[in-house]
Amino acid sequence: MSLEGLRVMGIDPGLTRCGLSVVQAGRGRQIIPVAVGVVRTPSTAELAERLLRLSRAVGEWIDDYEPDVIAMERIFERGNVSTVMHTAHAVGVMVLAAAERGIPVHMYTPSEVKKAISGNGRADKKQMTVMITRILGLSEAPKPADAADALAIAVCHCWRAPLIARTNQLTMKAANQ
Amino acid sequence: MSLEGLRVMGIDPGLTRCGLSVVQAGRGRQIIPVAVGVVRTPSTAELAERLLRLSRAVGEWIDDYEPDVIAMERIFERGNVSTVMHTAHAVGVMVLAAAERGIPVHMYTPSEVKKAISGNGRADKKQMTVMITRILGLSEAPKPADAADALAIAVCHCWRAPLIARTNQLTMKAANQ
């Protein structure tokens, strides 16, 4: 099963900094980078204002780049409670932006992304940046870290999508028997 | 300062069950109930589908009842992590629905709501239901619990709004001096 041409938007969710990327699957395991960036909302602004800005920015990315699917990092309780809650609010708003446009969302844990990119679920930031720079054939490492993470999430989906598609096919086949 | 006529929408946030209410401030401490209900989304549906349904339902309530302000319960890390995350996603989507319509959102902790309604920040569900039924002059207790909670949050804001308005006035006065 070939997914050549599949366009994936990767999101490293956050309210203060949200990494966004778009990549396109090429032949075999080849992946072509299309866009990468970071959306920031000021921590001095009210939550409502920040969510509104993020929602509009992500909506514009989706409308501009027309991805077939969105891959997002699954968040966990880690570190500061208030940051986790803010990130969870941001995820809600971005999943909604995708749903309103009929675009499916897949979530991946950080270790799933690390494993897909580097073969090691515990790879550090430096290793991940080296790998993603090489995979996408970039002349320099993507910055900031959130942008590199967003690219890694999108690449992770490109490589896992054929497996997901195959599993779905087999599940449907089994259900129809 | 009188807030007679102020229309407040109360939200007890949740993804599986979300309590919604609308009340209107009358003379003095009088409060008139306008609407109360619960929006449910099936736990078997995908997150994107659930958030889309919730967003549309809350948007319809806002458009139908045209509240001046929305009061929402502030969520904490408590109980099941997955439930807290789902609730946080739901909050993000509902705060966005308010922001898109230019309606301010105020958050209250459960103990602030309990204190405002019953004078006791640790009041139990039964005491709260008795108080809210009496305050709104209802012939029977509102059901289910999420609906009663949504009413309590709206009433809490009605009674705290004059104080918030006075504080804002004094702050602005001080800033202009």
Side-chain angles (χ1 to χ4, degrees), chain A residues 10-28:
Chain A
I11 301 183
D12 182 29
L15 191 56
T16 303
R17 285 189 316 280
C18 181
L20 299 177
S21 76
V22 179
V23 305
Q24 192 157 323
R27 297 211 163 190

Side-chain angles (χ1 to χ4, degrees), chain B residues 68-90:
Chain B
D68 300 302
V69 56
I70 293 177
M72 205 181 287
E73 194 170 294
R74 189 184 293 282
I75 54 167
F76 287 101
E77 276 196 302
R78 47 169 185 196
N80 185 289
V81 175
S82 155
T83 306
V84 172
M85 284 297 166
H86 276 166
T87 305
H89 298 334

